[in-house]
Amino acid sequence: MEEHKIGQFFGIGLGPGDPELLTLKALRVIKNSPVIAFPIKAVNETSYALSIVRDFIDMERQQLLPLLFPMTKNKEIIKQQWKEATEAVFRYLQQGKDVAFLTEGDPLFYSTFIHLCRYMEIIHPEVTVQSIPGISSIFGAAASLHLPLADGDAQVGIIPATRNKDHMKKAIEQHETIIFLKIAKVLDLLIDVLIETNTLEKAAIVTKATSNEEIIYKNVLDLKGKDLSYLSLMVVKRT
């Protein structure tokens, strides 16, 4: 019986939201891959990553593979879900089919692909895994704000916003520019930090940067008590 050559597994950085920010390489691999995988948080949920490139996918020739990664802090559930997703991808790879995993931004920067890649390398080390870089939402937001992030010897910090107030205050105090990611769940606390560091007027928030749903907020205080999209970040430029 003839054995199939194992397909390649690609992590595709799509950029922050504007389809025109796809790299030529990312677009070529997407079009050439028979299987397009993407993360979802719940069954039947729409995928933002898929929406960015849907117009480039041939639904008659290519197969969509949604991979479920539920939002939970239960480590056992998370591990099991990563293993199941890895095996779901490998079922196509062992048929000789390349699989392109879609991810917003860059596949190696706070991405679900990082965990999937690790499990693939452990469980199926024979698989060739390749990452195709993409433009981060950080640079997309900077372009939308027309805001230089760094110049000369200026220091830039990039951290996920947390409930550790002192940690976020130090981040602001130690950098000329700081980018806070994943701000939606701790927005009110972060606004308090801005007030305490006297940087409220130095901050701006961008939601779904560069996409046709992009929103820019420059009056950050007005957002206290409001809900923001998960795909939101804050830029604080002190100087």
Side-chain angles (χ1 to χ4, degrees):
M1 182 176 178
E2 182 181 353
E3 293 186 4
H4 288 285
K5 179 182 177 182
I6 294 177
Q8 292 189 74
F9 184 39
F10 295 93
I12 310 292
L14 303 181
D18 182 351
E20 291 188 345
L21 293 179
L22 276 171
T23 65
L24 294 174
K25 187 171 185 178
L27 183 58
R28 173 178 60 79
V29 174
I30 289 170
K31 287 186 173 183
N32 290 342
S33 296
V35 182
I36 306 297
F38 52 90
I40 56 173
K41 298 174 185 176
V43 177
N44 297 324
E45 183 187 61
T46 57
S47 166
Y48 183 61
L50 180 62
S51 70
I52 296 173
V53 297
R54 186 176 288 277
D55 289 344
F56 304 126
I57 295 174
D58 183 347
M59 300 299 293
E60 295 183 358
R61 180 178 57 83
Q62 296 171 287
Q63 182 169 350
L64 299 182
L65 177 61
L67 299 174
L68 179 63
F69 302 115
M71 298 295 286
T72 176
K73 292 184 179 180
N74 187 312
K75 292 183 179 180
E76 292 305 314
I77 293 177
I78 292 173
K79 287 180 180 179
Q80 183 60 32
Q81 208 63 52
W82 287 123
K83 290 179 181 178
E84 290 180 8
T86 301
E87 293 299 346
V89 170
F90 185 70
R91 281 194 286 273
Y92 290 97
L93 296 175
Q94 67 181 349
Q95 297 173 30
K97 297 179 179 179
D98 291 344
V99 178
F101 182 83
L102 307 178
T103 179
E104 303 101 348
D106 184 273
L108 297 179
F109 188 71
Y110 293 110
S111 164
T112 50
F113 177 73
I114 295 171
H115 306 283
L116 196 56
C117 178
R118 286 173 179 165
Y119 272 88
M120 186 65 73
E121 290 173 346
I122 293 170
I123 301 174
H124 299 291
E126 68 274 25
V127 173
T128 298
V129 181
Q130 183 176 347
S131 299
I132 298 179
I135 296 172
S136 168
S137 60
I138 294 167
F139 302 115
S144 294
L145 292 168
H146 193 60
L147 182 69
L149 295 180
D151 183 42
D153 296 326
Q155 294 188 355
V156 179
I158 301 170
I159 67 169
T162 68
R163 298 194 181 278
N164 189 326
K165 196 172 184 179
D166 289 338
H167 183 64
M168 292 195 292
K169 287 176 69 173
K170 287 181 180 179
I172 291 175
E173 292 165 354
Q174 294 174 356
H175 302 88
E176 283 81 4
T177 303
I178 184 78
I179 296 97
F180 290 106
L181 307 175
K182 307 176 184 180
I183 65 172
K185 290 184 178 180
V186 294
L187 180 60
D188 286 359
L189 179 63
L190 186 51
I191 290 174
D192 289 340
V193 170
L194 296 177
I195 294 172
E196 293 178 18
T197 56
N198 197 32
T199 54
L200 190 62
E201 295 182 357
K202 305 288 187 178
I205 291 174
V206 183
T207 293
K208 293 188 176 180
T210 76
S211 77
N212 56 12
E213 299 177 54
E214 177 186 84
I215 305 176
I216 295 175
Y217 303 96
K218 292 190 176 180
N219 297 317
V220 174
L221 187 59
D222 292 343
L223 295 176
K224 195 157 190 182
K226 304 290 180 63
D227 291 328
L228 280 184
S229 164
Y230 174 78
L231 298 173
S232 299
L233 60 78
M234 176 186 288
V235 181
V236 183
K237 187 172 176 62
R238 293 195 297 113
T239 58

